[in-house]
Amino acid sequence: MISSTDAAALTTYSPLAQLVDMGGPVMIILIAIALIGVATFIYLMLFGVFYAPRFSRPLRQLVAQWQQSPAKTSVEDTRNNAGFFERTNPLTHLMVNTMSACQSNPNISAVRETAVRDAQSALEPFEAPLKIIEVIAALAPLLGLLGTVMGMMDAFSAMAATEGRANASQLSGGIYEALTTTAAGLVVAIPFAALAAWIEFRLRRIHKTINSALVSVFNVMPSNEHAAEIQASEPVEETADAPAEAKEYSPTDFGNNSRFAHAAG
């Protein structure tokens, strides 16, 4: 029959202390990185709810107006009339700033480079949490393997101390620690590897959303609209520089920009 002292000891022996006792010092590190990973994932989800770039209905209406008449689009009205979620949407500020720059700045190459830099900045807050989760998914099995090696070293150390006459009870402690840390490392690594793959997939979708939104802006420019009006009223003689200029402002070149493609990892 269990005495009151033993019952109190079992009550105060928390599950966390049991895990540390079963797995040794490596288990402490595994528990710590698992807690860090959970906190990082929660932060990433909360940050994504408010600050993830999203192609909302006001932005679709703004793009529709821009494609009809870029020079007459009231870009700043979208920013001034934006609600809370629109003000926290980085894509709203990116689109408004890019359209305003296209209306006022004739140097489209400079506007394009600024848009690429701002798009990359909008995705940078998501890259660091993703890297942390990827490191945890890769590090946990290695820590489990380290615990396995340390547990087997304890088992063989006990055997060497008794000159090969150690019984099963003396060896079971080290073997149990080895198996426990291996299992704990896999338990930590598997879900975080799945989370890292899912987060990377979401970032790639956000990257495609930003890319398609900006291409829809650069595909129709105020200068092109003005040039079309001039061409409709008076024929313009083609020059040798015209194809080069059209190639420079091609939306396809923007979509293949290496800096922008690197923003999603």
Side-chain angles (χ1 to χ4, degrees):
M1 186 174 181
I2 301 176
S3 62
S4 59
T5 304
D6 295 336
L10 291 175
T11 303
T12 57
Y13 203 50
S14 64
L16 184 61
Q18 293 178 10
L19 286 174
V20 173
D21 185 60
M22 289 187 298
V26 176
M27 186 64 72
I28 300 176
I29 302 176
L30 283 172
I31 294 173
I33 65 172
L35 293 177
I36 293 174
V38 171
T40 302
F41 178 72
I42 293 174
Y43 161 78
L44 188 59
M45 291 298 99
L46 293 177
F47 189 86
V49 169
F50 296 101
Y51 298 101
R54 50 196 178 273
F55 201 29
S56 58
R57 181 181 299 178
L59 288 182
R60 290 194 294 267
Q61 296 175 352
L62 179 63
V63 170
Q65 296 175 5
W66 178 266
Q67 291 178 344
Q68 292 177 1
S69 179
K72 298 178 181 179
T73 302
S74 300
V75 178
E76 291 297 333
D77 291 344
T78 302
R79 196 202 311 264
N80 298 331
N81 299 330
F84 174 75
F85 284 100
E86 284 300 316
R87 288 196 301 269
T88 59
N89 185 3
L91 188 56
T92 300
H93 301 284
L94 177 61
M95 297 285 286
V96 170
N97 294 337
T98 302
M99 290 179 180
S100 299
C102 289
Q103 290 177 340
S104 59
N105 190 354
N107 189 356
I108 304 302
S109 298
V111 177
R112 191 187 305 267
E113 290 297 324
T114 302
V116 170
R117 185 177 62 250
D118 293 343
Q120 185 174 358
S121 301
L123 290 179
E124 283 179 354
F126 300 93
E127 294 178 354
L130 173 61
K131 183 60 65 177
I132 292 175
I133 292 177
E134 288 177 343
V135 169
I136 291 174
L139 192 61
L142 298 179
L143 289 173
L145 180 61
L146 176 62
T148 301
V149 173
M150 294 177 61
M152 297 305 296
M153 288 175 61
D154 291 340
F156 285 111
S157 177
M159 183 181 294
T162 57
E163 297 180 356
R165 294 188 297 271
N167 53 30
S169 62
Q170 292 174 321
L171 298 176
S172 60
I175 297 175
Y176 186 65
E177 178 181 340
L179 296 177
T180 302
T181 53
T182 302
L186 293 176
V187 167
V188 173
I190 291 173
F192 280 108
L195 288 176
W198 178 75
I199 294 170
E200 185 175 0
F201 170 74
R202 291 289 299 169
L203 281 181
R204 291 189 181 278
R205 290 190 61 182
I206 293 174
H207 162 253
K208 290 180 64 176
T209 300
I210 296 176
N211 190 34
S212 61
L214 290 179
V215 167
S216 64
V217 172
F218 286 105
N219 199 27
V220 181
M221 303 298 297
S223 57
N224 295 341
E225 183 185 20
H226 182 63
E229 294 177 354
I230 296 177
Q231 186 176 8
S233 59
E234 181 180 355
V236 179
E237 183 180 356
E238 294 184 358
T239 60
D241 296 333
E245 184 179 359
K247 183 178 179 181
E248 181 183 0
Y249 298 150
S250 173
T252 306
D253 295 340
F254 175 78
N256 294 331
N257 191 296
S258 59
R259 290 176 57 195
F260 185 71
H262 179 68

